[in-house]
Amino acid sequence: MEKKQTPVFINLLAIARYDQMPDYPIQFMTTGKLYYKNETEATLQYVESQEDEETGEITKSDISLFLSNGKVTMERSGDFSNTMVFSRGKRFEGIYHTPYGEMDMAVFTREAACRIGNRDGSLHLKYQLQIQGNYASTNELHLEYHAESAGDSAEEGEKRV
């Protein structure tokens, strides 16, 4: 079955919680592309821009979220790149690539839920992040997507991963 591309609006809220520090929320809206295969498989792609607070420089990352078979895989490419796999109750280890060098990274997924539709859907993740073997933060990601134009009724499935 060929995957159909649908332009979507994306609303994302990410919150990083650190020990003895204030929460660090990031919220933005952007556009992206949804490649819907069926109610349990889809790919969501978008570009994330972030300003460096010290230099004012804007960095961009291409993000691909693969929603499939009980897990979510996030691939980030650009100056800061990595791959993270989220599956409830599981640990994933990888490498975080930065302009300053590579760092070992691990995520332990506490919660993961998504609703995949061909016109709209949502994703919720809660996970702990380790960098170089040390606890870095507890993170939450809440993402919703909606097709840019009205049309066919949504073919949706609720899928907990």
Side-chain angles (χ1 to χ4, degrees):
M1 171 187 258
E2 184 178 320
K3 292 190 271 185
K4 180 183 169 192
Q5 174 186 316
T6 303
V8 291
F9 289 112
I10 297 169
N11 186 6
L12 183 136
L13 171 63
I15 303 168
R17 292 188 168 88
Y18 304 96
D19 283 342
Q20 301 175 0
M21 292 178 61
D23 290 356
Y24 184 75
I26 297 172
Q27 185 167 16
F28 66 89
M29 295 175 71
T30 189
T31 57
K33 297 175 191 164
L34 172 70
Y35 298 89
Y36 178 84
K37 186 171 183 182
N38 58 47
E39 65 271 358
T40 62
E41 294 182 86
T43 301
L44 187 61
Q45 297 177 331
Y46 61 94
V47 175
E48 179 181 279
S49 299
Q50 201 166 359
E51 182 178 358
D52 184 300
E53 293 177 5
E54 293 178 15
T55 66
E57 184 178 321
I58 304 288
T59 59
K60 293 186 177 187
S61 298
D62 293 320
I63 308 292
S64 294
L65 291 170
F66 302 95
L67 313 170
S68 174
N69 297 328
K71 70 180 179 183
V72 174
T73 302
M74 177 188 290
E75 290 183 358
R76 176 186 310 270
S77 62
D79 288 341
F80 296 85
S81 63
N82 63 356
T83 298
M84 293 188 277
V85 179
F86 303 95
S87 184
R88 187 171 184 227
K90 301 224 171 136
R91 178 182 167 94
F92 170 81
E93 296 181 7
I95 303 291
Y96 187 39
H97 306 275
T98 77
Y100 315 106
E102 296 182 344
M103 295 183 281
D104 292 331
M105 172 194 74
V107 294
F108 177 77
T109 306
R110 301 177 92 188
E111 297 174 17
C114 62
R115 183 178 52 80
I116 303 169
N118 68 349
R119 309 283 306 155
D120 63 359
S122 61
L123 171 63
H124 167 76
L125 298 172
K126 186 171 185 178
Y127 60 96
Q128 290 181 328
L129 177 65
Q130 286 185 332
I131 301 291
Q132 295 295 96
N134 297 309
Y135 171 82
S137 59
T138 297
N139 299 280
E140 289 187 40
L141 182 132
H142 307 279
L143 181 147
E144 293 182 355
Y145 66 85
H146 304 279
E148 287 188 10
S149 61
D152 302 332
S153 62
E155 183 182 321
E156 298 178 351
E158 184 76 28
K159 184 71 176 176
R160 293 240 175 232
V161 293

